[in-house]
Amino acid sequence: MIHTDALVIGAGPVGLFQVFQLGLLGLKADIIDVLPHAGGQCMALYPDKPIYDIPGVPVCTGRELTQQLLAQASPFMPADAPDALPRNLHLGHMVSELRVLPEGGFELLTDKGLQARAHAVFIAAGAGAFVPRGLNLPGLDAVRNLHYFLPEQADAATPWAGQHLIIHGGADEALSAALEMALHPDPAQRPARLSLLHRRDQFQAEDELDKRVRALMATGQIELIVGMPVAAQVEGEQLTALQILGADGQTRTQQLDHLLIRLGMSPKLGPLTTWGMALERKQVAVSTASFESSIPGIYAVGDINTYPGKKRLLLCGFHEATLAAHHAAATLHPEAPQHLLYTTTSPLLHQRLGIAK
Ligand SMILES: Cc1cc2nc3c(=O)[nH]c(=O)nc-3n(C[C@H](O)[C@H](O)[C@H](O)COP(=O)(O)OP(=O)(O)OC[C@H]3O[C@@H](n4cnc5c(N)ncnc54)[C@H](O)[C@@H]3O)c2cc1C
């Protein structure tokens, strides 16, 4: 059971900035995301595309913005080792239940059994929990050699080293995974055979990516399998083969050691709709003074909220997180004076940020 001041649901850009703003105001937060990495849409949908409208940052990619937000929040997201996950960042957990406690405060529960209690909750859930699109085939629930994500670090060990890996998909996320695995910096971690399975011999990817994958196909480092998986052969916890329907109408059996599905992500609003806050068109309705929902103590920031004039832009989410943090700090500590402090000049903020003066 986690006990903290604030729980932030969603480790997208706005959730990460929320932790930073809460930290500046002296509030401890834990942050939870269903994805295996932080960054929300920036990492799941456009990690390598440029963003041009962050104030003071002429251009950065989705990945760079995420790295900068993590670095900025690091005084309030401490890790046990330089490359370890921050202790208060809980990845791979879908928040499924949120309850108001009769004695005050909130309790939430994740699908993996994590339980947490806090005085305030910040919903930074974007368009909902990102879950990877899967194959709609029976028998795959318990198999262990079916994957959706690449190892976190580009040079990390892979589960398919020296084996036959099929990557399913024909857009950026499938092609970039194929490139990454074909060119893994440690040749021992590359698959012995790497196939790209797509319904046709045409990809929906960036030109440059398309060209690089085609070049590896020409040298035999990546093999293209054209067709649609229509059935799976499973033995125990292993997927051993796919039945693939080809463009010629024939179904063929394709043996494999590992299957990596890269068909994109779809956001699932799911559990959030049952938590009792007033919703408008599946967004959490908030006050623009506090970004509090219809339930006092539950705030909603970023793409998940709605109010007159709402724009789903990063900088609007950052503003919302700032005002929500100030409102929560004033509500949780009514006895403390709520002076506006500047990070430039305030010794208290420097102390919280761990900056020696
Ligand atoms: C292609 C593209 C380009 C864009 N370019 C720009 C741009 O140039 N400038 C700009 O300002 N904006 C841009 N945006 C919009 C911007 O990305 C969003 O406004 C921003 O990501 C919203 O951040 P967020 O933190 O609110 O939500 P998200 O980024 O959606 O993050 C929400 C996170 O919450 C998690 N989550 C949700 N529910 C749960 C749950 N129940 N349990 C656990 N985790 C949960 C999700 O998995 C996700 O990781 C772009 C968007 C797209 C798709």
Side-chain angles (χ1 to χ4, degrees), residues 133-188:
R133 290 200 181 92
L135 279 183
N136 207 3
L137 300 178
L140 293 178
D141 287 349
V143 299
R144 290 177 167 269
N145 55 340
L146 172 63
H147 315 266
Y148 296 95
F149 299 102
L150 291 173
E152 265 303 282
Q153 311 289 341
D155 56 355
T158 66
W160 41 73
Q163 302 178 62
H164 181 199
L165 169 67
I166 297 185
I167 299 179
H168 183 32
D172 286 1
E173 45 281 71
L175 269 62
S176 55
L179 266 188
E180 224 175 283
M181 288 306 110
L183 304 175
H184 193 289
D186 178 358

Side-chain angles (χ1 to χ4, degrees), residues 280-298:
E280 280 173 27
R281 295 187 184 186
K282 299 188 177 169
Q283 312 291 120
V284 182
V286 290
S287 135
T288 49
S290 61
F291 295 93
E292 208 169 25
S293 71
S294 60
I295 302 180
I298 299 185

Side-chain angles (χ1 to χ4, degrees), residues 259-280:
L259 177 63
L260 174 64
I261 300 183
R262 300 286 285 181
L263 296 172
M265 298 276 174
S266 67
K268 294 226 181 321
L269 208 52
L272 196 145
T273 55
T274 63
W275 296 343
M277 300 92 55
L279 301 180
E280 280 173 27

Side-chain angles (χ1 to χ4, degrees), residues 309-334:
K310 166 74 183 177
K311 298 281 178 280
R312 291 189 193 180
L313 284 171
L314 289 154
L315 92 114
C316 300
F318 297 152
H319 159 82
E320 295 160 13
T322 308
L323 293 199
H326 279 271
H327 187 271
T331 310
L332 295 178
H333 296 292

